[in-house]
Amino acid sequence: MQQLVASGDFELAPGSRPIDRIRDENGCWIDDIICHRIRCKKCGQQFSCVVNTYRGGGSFRP
């Protein structure tokens, strides 16, 4: 996601947590479930990335 946003073709969707704020000041995950949404600047399609830091796993989908 960081690379997609850095490419300039995508942006964080409104209400998404900043990508670089997934760990607290002690280096621990901020939550058991972390979700980000990005949006294509050209067509407006949104994609969600959900990660389960407690059990492992996640998904990236429209």
Coordinates of all heavy atoms in Angstrom, one line a residue:
M1 N 0.8 -1.2 0.0 CA 0.0 0.0 0.0 C 0.9 1.2 0.0 O 0.5 2.2 -0.7 CB -0.9 0.0 1.2 CG -2.0 -1.0 1.1 SD -3.3 -0.9 2.3 CE -4.1 0.6 1.9
Q2 N 1.9 1.2 0.8 CA 2.8 2.4 0.8 C 3.4 2.7 -0.6 O 3.4 3.8 -1.0 CB 4.0 2.2 1.8 CG 3.6 2.3 3.2 CD 4.7 2.0 4.1 OE1 5.5 1.1 3.9 NE2 4.7 2.7 5.2
Q3 N 3.7 1.6 -1.3 CA 4.2 1.8 -2.7 C 3.2 2.4 -3.6 O 3.5 3.2 -4.5 CB 4.8 0.5 -3.2 CG 6.1 0.1 -2.5 CD 6.6 -1.2 -3.0 OE1 5.9 -2.0 -3.6 NE2 7.8 -1.5 -2.6
L4 N 1.9 1.9 -3.5 CA 0.9 2.4 -4.4 C 0.6 3.8 -4.1 O 0.4 4.6 -5.0 CB -0.4 1.5 -4.1 CG -0.4 0.1 -4.6 CD1 -1.6 -0.7 -4.1 CD2 -0.2 0.0 -6.1
V5 N 0.6 4.2 -2.8 CA 0.3 5.6 -2.5 C 1.5 6.5 -3.0 O 1.3 7.6 -3.5 CB 0.0 5.8 -1.0 CG1 0.0 7.3 -0.6 CG2 -1.3 5.1 -0.6
A6 N 2.7 6.0 -2.7 CA 3.9 6.7 -3.1 C 4.0 6.9 -4.6 O 4.6 7.9 -5.1 CB 5.2 6.0 -2.6
S7 N 3.4 6.0 -5.4 CA 3.5 6.1 -6.9 C 2.7 7.3 -7.4 O 2.9 7.8 -8.5 CB 2.9 4.8 -7.5 OG 1.5 4.8 -7.4
G8 N 1.8 7.8 -6.6 CA 1.0 8.9 -6.9 C -0.3 8.6 -7.6 O -1.2 9.5 -7.9
D9 N -0.6 7.3 -7.9 CA -1.8 6.9 -8.6 C -2.9 6.6 -7.6 O -4.1 6.5 -7.9 CB -1.6 5.6 -9.4 CG -0.6 5.9 -10.6 OD1 -0.6 7.0 -11.1 OD2 0.1 4.9 -11.0
F10 N -2.6 6.4 -6.3 CA -3.5 6.1 -5.3 C -3.4 7.1 -4.1 O -2.3 7.7 -3.9 CB -3.3 4.7 -4.7 CG -3.7 3.6 -5.7 CD1 -2.8 3.2 -6.7 CD2 -5.0 3.0 -5.7 CE1 -3.2 2.2 -7.6 CE2 -5.4 2.1 -6.6 CZ -4.4 1.7 -7.6
E11 N -4.4 7.2 -3.3 CA -4.4 8.0 -2.1 C -5.1 7.3 -1.0 O -6.0 6.5 -1.3 CB -5.0 9.4 -2.3 CG -6.4 9.4 -2.7 CD -6.9 10.7 -3.2 OE1 -6.2 11.7 -3.1 OE2 -8.1 10.8 -3.5
L12 N -4.8 7.7 0.2 CA -5.6 7.1 1.3 C -7.0 7.6 1.3 O -7.2 8.8 1.0 CB -5.0 7.5 2.7 CG -3.8 6.7 3.1 CD1 -3.2 7.3 4.4 CD2 -4.1 5.3 3.3
A13 N -8.0 6.7 1.4 CA -9.4 7.2 1.4 C -9.7 7.9 2.7 O -9.1 7.7 3.7 CB -10.3 5.9 1.3
P14 N -10.6 8.8 2.7 CA -11.0 9.6 3.9 C -11.4 8.6 5.0 O -12.0 7.6 4.8 CB -12.2 10.4 3.4 CG -12.1 10.5 2.0 CD -11.4 9.2 1.5
G15 N -10.9 9.0 6.2 CA -11.2 8.2 7.4 C -10.2 7.1 7.6 O -10.3 6.4 8.7
S16 N -9.2 6.9 6.7 CA -8.2 5.8 6.9 C -7.1 6.3 7.9 O -6.8 7.5 7.9 CB -7.6 5.4 5.6 OG -8.5 4.7 4.8
R17 N -6.6 5.4 8.6 CA -5.5 5.7 9.5 C -4.2 5.8 8.6 O -4.1 5.1 7.7 CB -5.3 4.5 10.5 CG -4.1 4.6 11.4 CD -4.0 3.4 12.2 NE -5.2 3.0 13.0 CZ -5.5 3.5 14.1 NH1 -4.8 4.4 14.7 NH2 -6.6 3.1 14.7
P18 N -3.4 6.8 9.0 CA -2.1 6.9 8.2 C -1.4 5.6 8.1 O -1.3 4.9 9.2 CB -1.3 8.0 9.0 CG -2.4 8.8 9.7 CD -3.5 7.8 10.0
I19 N -0.8 5.3 7.0 CA -0.1 4.0 6.8 C 1.1 3.8 7.8 O 1.3 2.7 8.2 CB 0.3 3.8 5.3 CG1 -0.9 3.7 4.4 CG2 1.2 2.6 5.2 CD1 -0.6 3.6 3.0
D20 N 1.7 4.9 8.1 CA 2.9 4.8 8.9 C 2.6 4.8 10.4 O 3.5 4.8 11.2 CB 3.9 6.0 8.6 CG 3.3 7.3 8.8 OD1 2.1 7.4 9.0 OD2 4.1 8.3 8.8
R21 N 1.3 4.8 10.8 CA 0.9 4.8 12.2 C 0.3 3.5 12.6 O -0.9 3.5 13.0 CB 0.0 6.0 12.5 CG 0.8 7.3 12.2 CD 0.2 8.5 12.8 NE 0.0 8.3 14.2 CZ -1.0 8.9 14.9 NH1 -1.7 9.8 14.3 NH2 -1.1 8.7 16.2
I22 N 1.0 2.4 12.4 CA 0.4 1.1 12.7 C 1.0 0.5 14.0 O 0.6 -0.6 14.4 CB 0.6 0.1 11.5 CG1 2.0 -0.1 11.1 CG2 -0.3 0.5 10.4 CD1 2.3 -1.1 10.1
R23 N 2.1 1.1 14.5 CA 2.7 0.7 15.7 C 2.7 1.9 16.7 O 2.8 3.0 16.3 CB 4.1 0.2 15.5 CG 4.1 -1.0 14.6 CD 5.6 -1.6 14.5 NE 5.6 -2.7 13.7 CZ 5.7 -4.0 14.1 NH1 5.7 -4.2 15.4 NH2 5.8 -5.0 13.3
D24 N 2.6 1.5 18.0 CA 2.7 2.6 19.0 C 4.1 3.0 19.3 O 5.1 2.5 18.7 CB 1.9 2.2 20.3 CG 2.5 1.0 21.0 OD1 3.7 0.7 20.8 OD2 1.8 0.4 21.8
E25 N 4.3 3.8 20.3 CA 5.6 4.3 20.7 C 6.6 3.2 21.2 O 7.8 3.4 21.2 CB 5.6 5.5 21.7 CG 4.9 5.1 23.0 CD 3.4 5.2 23.0 OE1 2.8 5.7 22.0 OE2 2.8 4.7 23.9
N26 N 6.0 2.1 21.6 CA 6.8 1.0 22.1 C 7.1 -0.1 21.0 O 7.7 -1.1 21.3 CB 6.1 0.3 23.3 CG 5.9 1.2 24.4 OD1 6.8 1.9 24.8 ND2 4.7 1.2 25.1
G27 N 6.6 0.2 19.8 CA 6.8 -0.7 18.7 C 5.7 -1.8 18.6 O 5.9 -2.7 17.8
C28 N 4.7 -1.8 19.4 CA 3.6 -2.8 19.4 C 2.6 -2.4 18.4 O 2.4 -1.2 18.1 CB 3.0 -2.9 20.8 SG 4.2 -3.5 22.0
W29 N 1.9 -3.4 17.8 CA 0.8 -3.1 16.9 C -0.3 -2.2 17.6 O -0.5 -2.4 18.8 CB 0.1 -4.4 16.4 CG 1.0 -5.3 15.7 CD1 1.4 -6.5 16.0 CD2 1.5 -5.0 14.3 NE1 2.2 -7.0 15.0 CE2 2.3 -6.1 14.0 CE3 1.4 -4.0 13.5 CZ2 2.9 -6.2 12.8 CZ3 2.1 -4.1 12.2 CH2 2.8 -5.2 11.9
I30 N -0.9 -1.3 16.9 CA -1.9 -0.4 17.5 C -3.2 -1.1 17.9 O -4.0 -0.6 18.7 CB -2.2 0.8 16.6 CG1 -2.6 0.4 15.3 CG2 -1.0 1.7 16.6 CD1 -3.2 1.5 14.4
D31 N -3.5 -2.2 17.2 CA -4.7 -2.9 17.4 C -4.6 -4.4 16.9 O -3.7 -4.7 16.2 CB -5.9 -2.2 16.7 CG -7.2 -2.4 17.3 OD1 -7.4 -3.3 18.2 OD2 -8.1 -1.6 17.0
D32 N -5.5 -5.2 17.2 CA -5.5 -6.6 16.7 C -5.9 -6.7 15.3 O -5.5 -7.5 14.5 CB -6.5 -7.5 17.5 CG -6.0 -7.7 19.0 OD1 -4.8 -7.5 19.2 OD2 -6.8 -8.1 19.8
I33 N -6.8 -5.7 14.9 CA -7.3 -5.7 13.5 C -6.9 -4.3 13.0 O -7.3 -3.3 13.6 CB -8.8 -5.9 13.3 CG1 -9.2 -7.2 14.0 CG2 -9.2 -5.8 11.9 CD1 -8.7 -8.4 13.2
I34 N -6.2 -4.2 11.9 CA -5.8 -2.9 11.3 C -6.4 -2.8 9.9 O -6.2 -3.8 9.1 CB -4.3 -2.7 11.3 CG1 -3.7 -2.8 12.7 CG2 -3.9 -1.4 10.6 CD1 -2.2 -2.8 12.8
C35 N -7.1 -1.8 9.6 CA -7.7 -1.6 8.2 C -7.3 -0.3 7.6 O -7.3 0.7 8.3 CB -9.2 -1.7 8.4 SG -10.1 -1.5 6.8
H36 N -6.9 -0.4 6.4 CA -6.7 0.8 5.6 C -7.5 0.8 4.3 O -7.8 -0.3 3.8 CB -5.2 0.9 5.2 CG -4.3 1.2 6.3 ND1 -3.6 0.2 7.0 CD2 -3.8 2.4 6.8 CE1 -2.9 0.7 7.9 NE2 -3.0 2.1 7.8
R37 N -7.8 1.9 3.8 CA -8.5 2.0 2.5 C -7.7 3.0 1.6 O -7.3 4.0 2.0 CB -9.9 2.5 2.6 CG -10.9 1.5 3.2 CD -12.3 1.9 3.2 NE -12.3 3.4 3.0 CZ -13.2 4.2 3.5 NH1 -14.2 3.7 4.1 NH2 -13.2 5.5 3.3
I38 N -7.5 2.5 0.3 CA -6.9 3.5 -0.6 C -7.9 3.6 -1.8 O -8.8 2.8 -2.0 CB -5.5 3.0 -1.1 CG1 -5.6 1.6 -1.8 CG2 -4.5 3.0 0.0 CD1 -4.3 1.1 -2.4
R39 N -7.7 4.7 -2.5 CA -8.6 5.0 -3.6 C -7.7 5.4 -4.8 O -6.8 6.1 -4.8 CB -9.5 6.2 -3.3 CG -10.5 6.6 -4.3 CD -11.4 7.7 -3.8 NE -10.7 9.0 -3.6 CZ -10.5 9.9 -4.6 NH1 -11.0 9.6 -5.8 NH2 -9.9 11.0 -4.3
C40 N -8.1 4.8 -6.0 CA -7.5 5.1 -7.3 C -7.8 6.6 -7.6 O -9.0 6.9 -7.7 CB -7.9 4.2 -8.4 SG -7.2 4.6 -10.0
K41 N -6.8 7.4 -7.9 CA -7.1 8.8 -8.3 C -7.7 8.9 -9.7 O -8.4 9.9 -9.9 CB -5.8 9.6 -8.3 CG -5.3 9.8 -6.9 CD -4.0 10.7 -6.9 CE -3.5 11.0 -5.5 NZ -2.3 11.8 -5.6
K42 N -7.5 7.9 -10.5 CA -8.1 8.0 -11.9 C -9.5 7.6 -12.0 O -10.3 8.3 -12.6 CB -7.2 7.1 -12.8 CG -5.8 7.6 -13.0 CD -5.0 6.7 -13.9 CE -3.6 7.2 -13.9 NZ -2.7 6.3 -14.6
C43 N -9.9 6.5 -11.4 CA -11.3 6.0 -11.5 C -12.1 6.0 -10.2 O -13.3 5.8 -10.3 CB -11.2 4.5 -12.0 SG -10.6 3.3 -10.8
G44 N -11.5 6.3 -9.1 CA -12.2 6.4 -7.8 C -12.4 5.0 -7.1 O -13.0 5.0 -6.0
Q45 N -12.1 3.9 -7.7 CA -12.2 2.6 -7.1 C -11.5 2.5 -5.8 O -10.3 3.0 -5.7 CB -11.7 1.5 -8.0 CG -11.6 0.1 -7.4 CD -12.9 -0.7 -7.6 OE1 -13.5 -0.5 -8.6 NE2 -13.1 -1.6 -6.7
Q46 N -12.1 2.0 -4.8 CA -11.5 1.9 -3.4 C -11.1 0.5 -3.2 O -11.8 -0.5 -3.6 CB -12.4 2.4 -2.4 CG -12.6 3.9 -2.4 CD -13.3 4.5 -1.2 OE1 -13.2 3.9 -0.1 NE2 -13.9 5.6 -1.3
F47 N -10.0 0.3 -2.4 CA -9.6 -1.0 -2.0 C -9.3 -1.0 -0.5 O -8.9 0.0 0.0 CB -8.3 -1.4 -2.8 CG -8.4 -1.4 -4.3 CD1 -8.2 -0.3 -5.0 CD2 -8.7 -2.6 -4.9 CE1 -8.4 -0.3 -6.4 CE2 -8.9 -2.6 -6.3 CZ -8.7 -1.5 -7.0
S48 N -9.6 -2.1 0.1 CA -9.4 -2.3 1.5 C -8.3 -3.3 1.8 O -8.3 -4.3 1.2 CB -10.7 -2.7 2.2 OG -11.7 -1.8 2.1
C49 N -7.5 -3.0 2.8 CA -6.5 -3.9 3.3 C -6.8 -4.1 4.8 O -6.8 -3.2 5.5 CB -5.1 -3.4 3.1 SG -3.8 -4.5 3.7
V50 N -7.1 -5.4 5.1 CA -7.4 -5.7 6.5 C -6.3 -6.7 7.0 O -6.1 -7.7 6.3 CB -8.8 -6.3 6.7 CG1 -9.1 -6.6 8.1 CG2 -9.8 -5.3 6.1
V51 N -5.7 -6.4 8.1 CA -4.7 -7.3 8.7 C -5.1 -7.7 10.1 O -5.4 -6.9 10.9 CB -3.3 -6.6 8.7 CG1 -2.2 -7.5 9.3 CG2 -2.9 -6.2 7.3
N52 N -5.0 -9.0 10.4 CA -5.2 -9.5 11.7 C -3.9 -9.7 12.4 O -3.2 -10.7 12.1 CB -6.0 -10.8 11.7 CG -6.4 -11.3 13.0 OD1 -5.7 -11.1 14.0 ND2 -7.6 -11.9 13.1
T53 N -3.4 -8.8 13.2 CA -2.1 -8.9 13.9 C -2.1 -9.9 15.0 O -1.0 -10.3 15.4 CB -1.7 -7.5 14.4 OG1 -2.6 -7.1 15.4 CG2 -1.6 -6.5 13.3
Y54 N -3.2 -10.3 15.5 CA -3.3 -11.2 16.6 C -3.2 -12.7 16.1 O -2.4 -13.4 16.6 CB -4.6 -11.0 17.4 CG -4.8 -12.0 18.6 CD1 -4.0 -11.7 19.7 CD2 -5.6 -13.0 18.6 CE1 -4.1 -12.6 20.8 CE2 -5.7 -13.9 19.7 CZ -5.0 -13.6 20.8 OH -5.1 -14.5 21.9
R55 N -4.0 -13.0 15.1 CA -3.9 -14.4 14.6 C -3.1 -14.6 13.3 O -2.9 -15.7 12.9 CB -5.4 -14.9 14.3 CG -6.2 -14.9 15.6 CD -7.6 -15.5 15.2 NE -8.5 -15.4 16.4 CZ -8.8 -16.4 17.1 NH1 -8.2 -17.6 16.9 NH2 -9.6 -16.3 18.2
G56 N -2.8 -13.4 12.7 CA -2.0 -13.5 11.5 C -3.0 -13.5 10.3 O -4.2 -13.9 10.5
G57 N -2.6 -13.1 9.2 CA -3.4 -13.2 8.0 C -4.0 -11.8 7.7 O -3.8 -10.8 8.4
G58 N -4.7 -11.8 6.5 CA -5.3 -10.5 6.1 C -5.8 -10.6 4.7 O -5.8 -11.7 4.1
S59 N -6.3 -9.5 4.2 CA -6.8 -9.5 2.8 C -6.7 -8.2 2.2 O -6.6 -7.2 2.9 CB -8.3 -10.0 2.8 OG -9.1 -9.0 3.5
F60 N -6.7 -8.2 0.9 CA -6.6 -6.9 0.1 C -7.6 -7.1 -1.0 O -7.5 -8.0 -1.9 CB -5.2 -6.7 -0.5 CG -5.0 -5.4 -1.2 CD1 -4.7 -4.3 -0.4 CD2 -5.1 -5.3 -2.5 CE1 -4.6 -3.0 -1.0 CE2 -4.9 -4.1 -3.2 CZ -4.6 -2.9 -2.4
R61 N -8.7 -6.3 -1.0 CA -9.8 -6.5 -2.0 C -10.5 -5.2 -2.3 O -10.5 -4.3 -1.4 CB -10.7 -7.6 -1.6 CG -11.4 -7.3 -0.3 CD -12.3 -8.4 0.2 NE -12.5 -8.3 1.6 CZ -12.7 -9.4 2.3 NH1 -12.7 -10.5 1.8 NH2 -12.8 -9.2 3.6
P62 N -11.2 -5.2 -3.4 CA -12.0 -4.0 -3.7 C -13.2 -3.9 -2.8 O -13.6 -4.8 -2.2 CB -12.5 -4.2 -5.2 CG -12.0 -5.5 -5.6 CD -11.2 -6.1 -4.5

